Amino acid sequence: MKKMKKLLTIMLCCSSMALAQQTDPVVMTINGQPITRSEFEYSYNKNNAEGVIDKKTVDEYVDLFINYKLKVMAAQAAKMDTARSFKTEFATYRDQQIRPAMITDADVEQRAREIYRESQQRVDGVGGLVKPAHILFGIRQTDGEDKKNQAKQRADSVYNALLKGADFAALARQLSDDRGSAEQGGELPWIEKGQTLKEFEDMAFSLRKGELSKPFLSPAGYHIVLLKDKGKFFPYDSLRTSILRFIEQRGIREQIISQKIETLAKAAGPNVTADEVLAKKCAEMVAKDSNLKYLIQEYHDGLLLFEISSKEFWSKAQSDERGQADYFKKNKKKYKWEQPRFKGIAYYTKDKKDVKAVRKVVKQLPFDQWTEKLHSTFNNDSILRIKVEKGIFKAGDNSLVDRNVFGKKVLLKLEKDYPYAATYGKKLKAPKDYRDVKAQVVADYQDELEKQWVERLRKQYAVTVNRSVLATVNKH
């Protein structure tokens, strides 16, 4: 019986694997690692979507994809994926994708109701809400007694008119110095205690609905208040949308997520961490969503690609000046100019004698030391004696160079404080040194180092492509 069960398990397992291979067959194998058609399709479609300028066919993309995978495998072989910095950065990205799935709408709703209950208890515990209308006769802090008395007299006069039946809203629109509420007939929003002036609140909360106050003084002036309504805190449904917006704007959703993760970690055991909870959730989600799986893998591999590329050729190409010089020497024909260049300086001086002084200072120095020497000699105090533009100029780059070196007729506009203009350097038909075209040499040298590295990886790692499966990409 046990043998039958074991045999059945094996058969089910084999059947499952066969089904997986039928629905998502292996399109290639790199260093023994199978690459499924869906993974290749995800990468191909993302890098050849609408709007991509240099679109590739599937066949053209194969080598690019293989090279990408080989570089990632090289990074893994170098154990770059075990570095703490890598793990931290990758976890940060992974969490951006996974954390939102840790809570449900019910979790957010529960927090919204908690926020509501806290506000409800606070407001109703000190008297609830009142909706007042008022007419204000404003007083400034700098007003003298005469103006204060005038405001008091106006308030008393209006109060008497109201007692005789005058319309409160009409008088508020006409006479109130609070022009914001005046346009609403004096009406103010619902208020709770602690929101406005104490004198105003004390009066408003002491009135009954429909009751009119006598004129009273606050730091703002004299008020007459009519209490329009009085009640408990607003019902939850009327505030729900505002509370949910508050949760999003104040980052409370993230707090809810963190609390949920902590709760799950504690429930899972004393040694379970938040990171382990997120990793488990990630595994569950990617098992159901292949797009998410490849998106997270893409970031994982992209981080490794950046690290290994920097180590293998980016940093080396930038820092290896001897390698740059050798590459330039071997490939000098690549760097011919269609037009001559001027390697030197265009400069302007306050004093005529500094025109010759500048030439004398830099004459025996390497070109890359000119800037520092000129600064320390002529501009090392509060007075700037010269202005300099240094570089390798072609015609049209600088009007002074155009006139002095390339013999073009141009109009120079000299600054009043720097009336003397000159150039110094050499006119070159072609670059003499790798530093004359350094940016281009570095880029080309970098490409060469990458090419050599990929060739070594191709020899190191076996690659096989299933052409029959490749032919079905995006066609199944």
Side-chain angles (χ1 to χ4, degrees), residues 175-422:
L175 302 172
S176 179
D177 289 331
D178 178 4
R179 298 315 302 167
S181 66
E183 294 178 2
Q184 308 302 320
E187 282 197 30
L188 294 165
W190 286 91
I191 63 171
E192 59 180 274
K193 285 189 177 179
Q195 274 189 301
T196 184
L197 298 169
K198 185 177 184 303
E199 295 83 355
F200 187 90
E201 286 181 5
D202 288 346
M203 178 58 72
F205 277 89
S206 69
L207 297 173
R208 296 184 299 274
K209 182 177 177 180
E211 187 177 1
L212 183 72
S213 77
K214 292 181 179 181
F216 64 95
L217 183 64
S218 83
Y222 282 94
H223 307 260
I224 301 172
V225 171
L226 173 64
L227 191 64
K228 304 291 288 186
D229 206 350
K230 195 170 190 175
K232 298 294 185 180
F233 195 55
F234 306 108
Y236 174 73
D237 288 345
S238 68
L239 297 177
R240 181 176 179 274
T241 300
S242 298
I243 295 173
L244 293 176
R245 188 182 305 118
F246 173 81
I247 286 173
E248 297 299 331
Q249 293 173 345
R250 297 300 180 90
I252 296 174
R253 175 181 283 270
E254 286 302 310
Q255 295 175 17
I256 300 170
I257 293 172
S258 295
Q259 291 168 0
K260 184 79 172 284
I261 293 170
E262 288 176 10
T263 300
L264 290 171
K266 287 179 181 178
N271 298 319
V272 177
T273 65
D275 188 70
E276 289 171 332
V277 171
L278 284 165
K280 181 181 177 183
K281 183 67 174 179
C282 179
E284 293 172 357
M285 292 175 66
V286 299
K288 299 175 183 177
D289 184 349
S290 61
N291 282 335
L292 177 63
K293 172 186 175 181
Y294 296 136
L295 177 65
I296 292 175
Q297 181 178 317
E298 179 184 13
Y299 191 79
H300 175 277
D301 292 353
L303 284 175
L304 289 176
L305 181 65
F306 179 86
E307 293 296 329
I308 195 71
S309 297
S310 179
K311 175 178 178 290
E312 291 292 337
F313 56 92
W314 288 342
S315 296
K316 184 177 180 181
Q318 290 286 343
S319 60
D320 182 12
E321 296 203 17
R322 183 172 178 177
Q324 294 166 17
D326 290 343
Y327 184 83
F328 173 78
K329 189 176 180 180
K330 292 176 183 176
N331 299 276
K332 209 168 183 178
K333 291 181 180 179
K334 289 175 61 175
Y335 303 104
K336 288 183 178 180
W337 291 326
E338 293 181 3
Q339 298 176 348
R341 302 284 196 272
F342 172 67
K343 182 179 181 179
I345 54 173
Y347 63 101
Y348 309 84
T349 70
K350 285 180 176 288
D351 195 321
K352 188 175 182 179
K353 66 181 182 181
D354 280 339
V355 172
K356 289 185 177 180
V358 166
R359 296 173 182 172
K360 186 177 179 180
V361 163
V362 301
K363 189 174 183 180
Q364 302 300 326
L365 292 176
F367 186 64
D368 58 0
Q369 295 179 19
W370 286 15
T371 300
E372 183 179 350
K373 186 63 176 178
L374 289 171
H375 176 77
S376 63
T377 304
F378 297 97
N379 293 337
N380 203 25
D381 53 30
S382 58
I383 298 175
L384 302 180
R385 290 164 56 187
I386 65 172
K387 286 190 173 182
V388 183
E389 185 176 351
K390 172 177 170 282
I392 298 177
F393 305 89
K394 64 179 184 297
D397 285 347
N398 181 284
S399 57
L400 181 58
V401 172
D402 285 348
R403 188 193 71 174
N404 288 11
V405 179
F406 297 120
K408 295 183 178 293
K409 292 182 179 180
V410 295
L411 179 63
L412 286 179
K413 292 183 179 180
L414 299 177
E415 293 185 34
K416 181 181 177 182
D417 293 336
Y418 298 88
Y420 305 100

Side-chain angles (χ1 to χ4, degrees), residues 70-71 74 452-461:
L70 288 172
K71 293 172 185 177
Q452 292 172 2
W453 179 48
V454 169
E455 286 175 356
R456 293 196 300 271
L457 292 177
R458 288 272 187 167
K459 292 176 181 177
Q460 182 179 355
Y461 297 118

Side-chain angles (χ1 to χ4, degrees), residues 37 41 58 470-476:
R37 181 175 60 192
E41 282 179 338
V58 171
L470 186 68
T472 67
V473 168
N474 290 332
K475 295 177 183 177
H476 53 92

Side-chain angles (χ1 to χ4, degrees), residues 66-101:
I66 291 171
N67 292 345
Y68 168 73
K69 281 295 185 181
L70 288 172
K71 293 172 185 177
V72 172
M73 288 180 182
Q76 290 171 325
K79 299 190 182 302
M80 289 183 173
D81 54 342
T82 65
R84 180 177 296 180
S85 58
F86 170 84
K87 289 181 177 180
T88 299
E89 189 171 358
F90 172 63
T92 299
Y93 178 80
R94 178 205 64 193
D95 293 354
Q96 290 174 0
Q97 306 301 316
I98 304 303
R99 281 177 64 88

